[in-house]
Amino acid sequence: MNMKRTLSLLLAAVLALALLTGCGGKKAPDSPPEDQTVQNEPAGKEGAAALGSLTSFSAGTLDGGTFTQEDIAAKDVTVLNFWALTCPPCIAEMPDIADFEKALPDNVAMLTVCLDGYGNEDSVKEVLENAGFEGVTLITGDGDLLDLANNLMYTPTTVLADSQGALVGEAIIGGQADLSAAYLEAVNQALEASGKDAISLEDA
């Protein structure tokens, strides 16, 4: 129990330091790019594989549960949206994320990772409840998840993992003008790359 609490505190401390500049990352530019901090437009993409993998980790969920690589393995694709309470664009897009998550078929999962959620659980719950998000939210973690969080430069950043825990496709960085379309395209590219059938959203 002490080890788990120590890991949780370590992740919270590291992620808090990474988010001192709000939507910026560990490096604080003199003036953060506007499209990454205040507008709901694509801020750019980068190969997700360069950020690491999710083959060995354990994470704590907002509701007190545990999420590991075994949960990743149970789905063909897992979409992870990294966000922060200090990032207005992250919160602004949460209703769209909630709608996307609810429309997914069983073989694809959508979850969020709140980088400054540990110790701020009530605030995280309020944001998610207001947005209507009912999926899994991670607030602590170790191993590959911690490494991935340390490699992020901006929030929001969304990555996709296949059932082996490999990060696939491109990271989606910044808010999206049409989040559902952008995420669906990324999911289908990941599915097709692994020989799986493309999906359509249930409410499409």
Side-chain angles (χ1 to χ4, degrees), residues 42-64:
K45 296 182 177 181
E46 63 180 75
L51 295 173
S53 66
L54 289 170
T55 58
S56 179
F57 71 95
S58 180
T61 66
L62 183 61
D63 63 4

Side-chain angles (χ1 to χ4, degrees), residues 61-64 83 85 91 114 116-131 133 137 139:
T61 66
L62 183 61
D63 63 4
W83 65 287
L85 292 167
I91 295 171
C114 186
D116 53 356
Y118 183 76
N120 298 302
E121 290 85 354
D122 288 344
S123 296
V124 176
K125 288 176 182 176
E126 182 179 359
V127 169
L128 297 177
E129 286 173 5
N130 288 340
F133 183 78
T137 292
I139 58 171

Side-chain angles (χ1 to χ4, degrees), residues 59-137:
T61 66
L62 183 61
D63 63 4
T66 302
F67 188 93
T68 71
Q69 65 273 7
E70 293 179 7
D71 296 289
I72 297 279
K75 302 293 182 179
D76 291 332
V77 173
T78 300
V79 184
L80 299 97
N81 171 260
F82 289 81
W83 65 287
L85 292 167
T86 55
C87 172
C90 299
I91 295 171
E93 72 175 7
M94 198 58 68
D96 291 335
I97 289 175
D99 290 342
F100 183 77
E101 189 273 335
K102 289 174 186 172
L104 289 172
D106 290 340
N107 65 317
V108 179
M110 169 87 223
L111 58 109
T112 77
V113 184
C114 186
L115 297 173
D116 53 356
Y118 183 76
N120 298 302
E121 290 85 354
D122 288 344
S123 296
V124 176
K125 288 176 182 176
E126 182 179 359
V127 169
L128 297 177
E129 286 173 5
N130 288 340
F133 183 78
E134 299 173 357
V136 173
T137 292

Side-chain angles (χ1 to χ4, degrees), residues 8 21-22 36 38 57 59 61 71 80 90-91 96 112 121 133 138 141 153 163 167 169 172 174 179 182 186 193 200:
S8 296
T21 58
Q36 292 173 345
V38 295
F57 71 95
T61 66
D71 296 289
L80 299 97
C90 299
I91 295 171
D96 291 335
T112 77
E121 290 85 354
F133 183 78
L138 309 182
M153 294 298 295
S163 61
L167 299 186
I172 302 170
L179 183 143
S200 59

Side-chain angles (χ1 to χ4, degrees), residues 147-171:
D147 292 340
L148 173 54
N150 284 336
N151 285 330
L152 298 179
M153 294 298 295
Y154 294 98
T155 54
T157 292
T158 298
V159 298
L160 287 78
D162 66 16
S163 61
Q164 304 301 310
L167 299 186
V168 294
E170 297 178 323

